[in-house]
């Protein structure tokens, strides 16, 4: 699997693959509906200044990270230091991401859109495919949290149980749930420190960062028919030197990443799993297709089967 694929899997670990933008930190408004809580969280994650230790769990495997996040008028800056296993860090800011393994090895990913989850969250798009409801209050990391349930309306996506900080609306705990309500993965703040930050007005996230010229270029090479219900192509990159294309599809909440490049002997075929992320390798139209997503296997199959070279 390519370095970009591995980096995508690593990044989407944070908050169980759910990094959504939320309302400012000035006097907290009274939130009465599940939609208010969700959109408040979406703003807070990107615009507040905070740091803390985060535990990520899949089965019996645990990973401990220290997260430092700054929301600035010029954009957000995030530093993720993985404290367990092989030492490495992930730095994100100014539209770029750096992945550091050890003191001397450094590689930059130019795949900035993968990390900008603000462009993928779309409440109106997700609404027909998920049901939101508020649960009871619960304490996480010594703070009072409101539980928010996000329940899928079909078998093509997973649900989530979020524990949103009563004060900041940050997700203190996030649990990814299968269709039997069993946890697939979860993240948990063990401590959280909020820092002072300027008041940031509520912003409505952009639905897509793919411009018209890019969409036209995609249409010249690929078309996607019968995508899974609710999913739309949101972003696209074409790396001409590597002859590799990268697509991102979203239903407003869940995300699927697709890489298309020339087929080479020995390429990955079939399903594998890293954490809660399914990975599918397939040969279609003599191209190597690699898909990643925290979605059921059937959803990835529908995406890869929908790809057609433009006649």
């Amino acid at each position: 699997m390519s370095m970009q694929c591995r980096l995508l899997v690593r990044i989407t670990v944070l908050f169980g693959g759910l990094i959504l933008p939320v309302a400012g930190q000035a006097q907290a408004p009274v939130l009465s509906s599940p939609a208010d809580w969700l959109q408040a969280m979406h703003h807070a994650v990107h615009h507040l200044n905070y740091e803390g230790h985060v535990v990520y769990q899949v089965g019996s495997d645990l990973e401990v990270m220290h997260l430092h996040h700054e929301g600035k008028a010029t954009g957000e800056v995030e530093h993720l230091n993985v404290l367990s296993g092989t030492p490495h860090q992930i730095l994100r800011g100014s539209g770029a991401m750096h992945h550091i393994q050890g003191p001397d090895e450094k590689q930059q990913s130019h795949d900035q859109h993968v990390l900008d989850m603000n462009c993928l969250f779309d409440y109106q798009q997700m609404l027909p495919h998920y049901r939101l409801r508020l649960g009871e209050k619960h304490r996480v990391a010594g703070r009072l949290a409101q539980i928010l349930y996000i329940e899928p309306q079909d078998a093509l996506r997973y649900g989530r149980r979020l524990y949103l900080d009563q004060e900041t609306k940050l997700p203190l705990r996030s649990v990814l749930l299968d269709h039997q309500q069993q946890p697939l993965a979860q993240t948990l703040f063990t401590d959280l420190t909020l820092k002072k930050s300027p008041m940031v007005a509520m912003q409505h996230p952009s639905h897509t960062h793919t411009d018209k010229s890019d969409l036209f270029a995609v249409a010249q090479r690929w078309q996607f028919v019968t995508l899974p219900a609710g999913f739309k192509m949101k972003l696209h990159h074409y790396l001409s030197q590597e002859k590799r294309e990268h697509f991102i599809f979203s239903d407003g909440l869940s995300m699927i990443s697709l890489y298309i490049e020339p087929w080479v002997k020995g390429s990955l075929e079939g399903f594998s799993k890293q954490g809660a992320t399914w990975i599918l390798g397939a040969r279609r139209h003599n191209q190597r297709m690699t898909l990643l997503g925290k979605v059921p296997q059937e959803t990835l199959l529908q995406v890869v089967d929908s790809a057609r070279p433009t006649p």
Side-chain angles (χ1 to χ4, degrees):
M1 182 168 57
S2 68
M3 175 62 73
Q4 282 186 308
C5 293
R6 290 194 296 270
L7 294 182
L8 176 61
V9 172
R10 175 67 63 183
I11 283 293
T12 55
V13 158
L14 188 58
F15 300 125
L18 181 65
I19 304 183
L20 306 175
V22 173
Q25 189 187 350
Q27 295 181 345
V30 177
L31 304 180
S32 58
S33 73
D36 289 341
W37 278 93
L38 180 62
Q39 296 189 73
M41 181 198 70
H42 183 255
H43 179 87
V45 167
H46 284 282
H47 296 296
L48 297 186
N49 294 344
Y50 51 90
E51 69 175 308
H53 289 88
V54 180
V55 175
Y56 173 67
Q57 179 181 17
V58 178
S60 60
D61 295 330
L62 291 174
E63 191 167 38
V64 182
M65 301 168 278
H66 180 265
L67 171 67
H68 182 274
H69 181 276
E70 293 183 47
K72 301 180 178 180
T74 56
E76 58 185 316
V77 177
E78 193 169 81
H79 180 195
L80 185 65
N81 186 18
V82 180
L83 304 177
S84 55
T86 303
H88 61 282
Q89 303 176 46
I90 297 169
L91 309 176
R92 180 169 69 91
S94 302
M97 183 268 287
H98 298 267
H99 186 265
I100 304 173
Q101 287 188 319
D104 302 319
E105 183 180 350
K106 180 177 180 179
Q107 177 164 349
Q108 178 176 353
S109 167
H110 300 286
D111 207 357
Q112 56 182 312
H113 294 299
V114 173
L115 307 178
D116 186 9
M117 294 305 206
N118 190 38
C119 67
L120 297 181
F121 176 75
D122 188 330
Y123 174 70
Q124 293 301 323
Q125 183 186 350
M126 68 171 280
L127 191 58
H129 307 285
Y130 296 90
R131 184 168 71 94
L132 306 180
R133 63 181 178 92
L134 295 175
E136 64 278 13
K137 300 289 198 305
H138 194 81
R139 290 188 66 80
V140 180
R143 302 174 68 95
L144 187 62
Q146 170 65 59
I147 298 180
L148 172 63
Y149 295 93
I150 305 178
E151 300 168 334
Q153 299 282 54
D154 57 34
L156 294 174
R157 58 211 96 225
Y158 291 135
R160 292 167 175 81
R161 184 171 67 242
L162 306 176
Y163 297 73
L164 306 182
D165 184 33
Q166 187 78 30
E167 176 189 354
T168 67
K169 311 307 183 286
L170 290 168
L172 300 176
R173 182 183 178 193
S174 174
V175 186
L176 186 69
L177 300 168
D178 66 15
H179 299 121
Q180 286 73 46
Q181 299 300 303
Q182 296 301 308
L184 295 168
Q186 63 177 312
T187 58
L188 173 71
F189 269 105
T190 59
D191 61 82
L192 175 66
T193 301
L194 195 70
K195 300 185 176 182
K196 290 184 179 181
S197 61
M199 183 185 302
V200 181
M202 174 68 81
Q203 299 178 5
H204 297 286
S206 169
H207 290 182
T208 177
H209 287 177
T210 303
D211 60 29
K212 292 182 179 179
S213 61
D214 196 27
L215 286 173
F216 178 78
V218 173
Q220 300 306 299
R221 295 184 294 270
W222 293 96
Q223 56 183 321
F224 297 92
V225 297
T226 62
L227 282 169
F231 282 87
K232 299 178 182 178
M233 187 179 73
K234 291 285 188 172
L235 300 172
H236 168 258
H237 289 152
Y238 179 58
L239 306 176
S240 56
Q241 290 184 343
E242 302 177 29
K243 297 182 179 179
R244 180 180 359 180
E245 304 203 47
H246 179 203
F247 303 89
I248 295 181
F249 304 89
S250 174
D251 65 357
L253 179 65
S254 299
M255 184 184 74
I256 296 171
S257 192
L258 165 65
Y259 295 87
I260 301 179
E261 51 199 322
W263 176 262
V264 294
K265 187 176 181 180
S267 296
L268 170 72
E269 289 190 82
F271 283 100
S272 59
K273 202 172 187 182
Q274 183 165 337
T277 300
W278 279 110
I279 304 166
L280 171 61
R283 183 176 185 175
R284 296 289 191 278
H285 313 289
N286 203 33
Q287 298 288 302
R288 177 171 65 182
M289 299 192 179
T290 307
L291 298 92
L292 305 93
K294 286 186 171 66
V295 295
Q297 292 171 284
E298 173 61 26
T299 312
L300 295 184
L301 282 171
Q302 288 191 26
V303 172
V304 75
D305 289 339
S306 74
R308 303 281 190 279
T310 300

